[in-house]
Amino acid sequence: MADTEWSNLLRATTDFYQLIFMEAGHSIAWDIVQRLNGRISRLRALTIAAKDRETSGMSHMTAIHDAILSRDPDRARKAVEAHIADAAQTAQRFLKDPAPTAEETPNG
């Protein structure tokens, strides 16, 4: 995937999360998350790029989006929990082996 596509995907992901925080009335929490984003952006790029995820990040976000729009808080909570668990598992693999292969990197 080209650098521009990755930039656009990361920006869209950030916009998605920002919309959720803002619509929930959590602007202060969003400010805190933004401060942390600089530290986690590399991991986010690697987890999005991971080809061995059980469920893609986009599939997780679609499930979250659909649950929110259907006003189903239990389904939304479960979708968020599944997304976080999957991303955490993927991130932990990268943290154990910080030298990803070419297939695992955004430009690989």
Side-chain angles (χ1 to χ4, degrees):
M1 191 178 284
D3 285 342
T4 303
E5 290 175 286
W6 275 107
S7 282
N8 290 340
L9 180 58
L10 290 174
R11 181 75 229 159
T13 302
T14 299
D15 291 346
F16 176 76
Y17 293 129
Q18 182 179 14
L19 179 62
I20 291 172
F21 275 80
M22 293 300 123
E23 290 300 315
H26 296 298
S27 60
I28 292 172
W30 178 249
D31 289 341
I32 293 167
V33 168
Q34 282 304 102
R35 288 184 206 135
L36 293 172
N37 265 340
R39 295 178 181 210
I40 63 170
S41 60
R42 180 174 182 269
L43 269 179
R44 181 187 289 168
L46 291 171
T47 61
I48 289 172
K51 300 197 183 326
D52 60 344
R53 287 178 75 164
E54 190 170 313
T55 304
S56 73
M58 183 57 72
S59 293
H60 283 295
M61 287 183 223
T62 299
I64 295 166
H65 169 269
D66 292 348
I68 291 170
L69 288 185
S70 69
R71 300 187 183 278
D72 186 338
D74 189 51
R75 194 170 107 206
R77 179 184 51 77
K78 288 177 182 175
V80 168
E81 288 172 352
H83 177 49
I84 291 170
D86 186 45
Q89 183 179 39
T90 303
Q92 286 173 354
R93 282 197 316 272
F94 286 116
L95 291 171
K96 287 179 185 173
D97 182 14
T101 65
E103 296 83 40
E104 295 171 324
T105 60
N107 298 320

